Amino acid sequence: MAEQMVVSGGYPMAKTFVGKKPKRNMYALLISIMASMTSVLLGYDTGVMSGATIYIKKDLKISDVQIEILVGTINIYSLLGSAMAGRTSDWLGRRITIIFASVIFFVGAIVMGFASNYAILMLGRFVAGLGVGYALMIAPVYAAEVAPASSRGFLTSFPEVFINFGVLLGYLSNYAFAKFSLKLGWRLMLGVGAVPSIFLGLAVFVMPESPRWLVMQGRLGDAKKVLDRTSDSPEEAQLRLADIKEAAGIPEHCHDDVVKVQKGDNGGGGVWRDLLVHPTRPVLHILIAAIGLQFLQQASGIDAVVMYSPRIYEKAGITSDSKKLLATIAVGVCKTMFILVTTFFVDKVGRRVLLLTSCGGLVASLFTLATGLTVIEQYGADKFKWLVGVCVGATYTAVAFFSMGMGPIAWVYSSEIFPLKLRAQGCGLGVAMNRFTSGVILMTFISLYKAITIGGAFYLFTGIAVVTWIFFYTLLPETRGRTLEDMEVLFGTFFRWRTTMRDLKKKELNTNDAA
């Protein structure tokens, strides 16, 4: 595969790969899977807590407000974790940050499993939340930095794959341990979450460090070894190394194994100034795209569907706890199955097609769910028994459409568009917005539906999903096939990005014809 760079007006334009697509790099696939498995931690916690709250409320005799706080605060706590992870990953490396995520979540799960009262349970949630923040920030960053451009979307979608897998494991844990005594069952549900973190911590020892982090430390020889193994060809490895050296401020002619990197080039000094205080137009566009995508992904209410599905089914007319949990397991199955759509098509059809299709389907599903719940609430489930099935089906299609686009691509997109020096902190901000929004939704959902009815709550989420579709359509350019180092070329014109894309394609075609 050959890579060509288009130059216009003295400025480098976007690079594009031409020629036959190579076989998928299996080594890059393996280590991306290992890194992405840290996302199981969030998924498991999300899934298991949806059912565990039924028994926690009965055992500890706590109120709905306390349940809201218990469910939602882990996302607020993860804000601190993601902020710490950004700095840790630049200071100690991506691999060490993955180990931190596993250890912290392990401790949190153990504390929750042995909690004797609400206060200790909340302490465990705080510790686990830090681990979740670490995992959410580092998994897509690592995957994006080791992946070749030809399969970056495929590999960076794996964190969402494992989030969905973790959700399914949590639902299955609910159903399995619900048969135990009231005091033991929910503690086993939460405590078992410590097991995956052990395997995740051990997996890190066979993973290489990110080549981009190695270059930022001046370790060019080590970075070259990793790039040789994770690139589709030796030529691409050389091009990737040259791009990373340029982004890190290292002269192109420097070929030493170890070089001295100026202080401030390692992701520390000036990053927040360049990101938030005095961003360039491309960086501002990137920031709006990444933060907006992460905010709207959660503001559309998907976590309310996933986390509170037993309550939704209860409102729809299902009263048996075992039937609620069984119906909830199907939510996890839908999420896990449909995430594979994105995994295999994100590098073939692009980010935008999947995002717009996903969001459009979510709008239809949320509107159907809102209408069904409103009718049942007004007239009763006995009069419209068929609507119970419609409501349950709408929850399945909602998570299915979300999982085939909005869920994974939020992480793929935000991890690939930031410039190298801003990537860790930029992705950390995106994770912080994602978790903050999720926390607000989960901590207010019960109070919200009590105030405006559960149907009204989902009509509200439907409206937000419509705004989300408009945001995707107007502000997010396609990034498929572009290298990480040339993303800034695609951004900076905001609503006029289509003109930029057309100009780039014309120049690329002219250059290819000339070649």
Side-chain angles (χ1 to χ4, degrees), residues 285-308:
H285 187 180
I286 287 170
L287 190 63
I288 292 172
I291 299 299
L293 176 56
Q294 295 286 8
F295 168 73
L296 291 168
Q297 186 218 45
Q298 289 298 329
S300 58
I302 191 64
D303 272 6
V305 176
V306 174
M307 189 69 84
Y308 289 110

Side-chain angles (χ1 to χ4, degrees), residues 281 285 470-471 473-475 492-499:
R281 282 180 63 86
H285 187 180
I470 295 171
F471 177 86
Y473 184 79
T474 57
L475 270 174
T493 52
F494 298 93
F495 297 103
R496 294 183 291 108
W497 63 266
R498 288 175 179 80
T499 302

Side-chain angles (χ1 to χ4, degrees), residues 135-175:
L136 278 178
M137 180 268 157
I138 196 57
V141 168
Y142 182 89
E145 292 187 343
V146 299
S150 62
S151 56
R152 189 177 59 249
F154 176 79
L155 297 181
T156 53
S157 66
F158 272 102
E160 186 70 16
V161 172
F162 283 103
I163 288 176
N164 287 306
F165 182 63
V167 169
L168 178 58
L169 288 179
Y171 289 156
L172 292 172
S173 176
N174 286 155
Y175 190 71

Side-chain angles (χ1 to χ4, degrees), residues 212-276:
R212 288 175 172 83
W213 184 82
L214 290 171
V215 170
M216 294 178 74
Q217 306 307 306
R219 296 165 57 183
L220 301 186
D222 292 335
K224 185 180 184 304
K225 291 177 184 177
V226 177
L227 287 170
D228 286 341
R229 297 194 67 185
T230 59
S231 298
D232 292 326
S233 67
E235 294 76 19
E236 187 193 354
Q238 293 176 8
L239 288 167
R240 289 174 69 188
L241 180 59
D243 285 339
I244 299 169
K245 285 164 62 177
E246 180 182 357
I250 298 174
E252 183 180 355
H253 58 78
C254 181
H255 299 294
D256 296 337
D257 284 347
V258 179
V259 300
K260 185 175 178 60
V261 178
Q262 292 293 323
K263 187 178 181 181
D265 287 341
N266 61 357
V271 168
W272 293 112
R273 181 189 65 244
D274 294 342
L275 191 62
L276 298 175

Side-chain angles (χ1 to χ4, degrees), residues 8 62 85 128 330 381 401:
S8 174
I62 56 179
F401 275 113

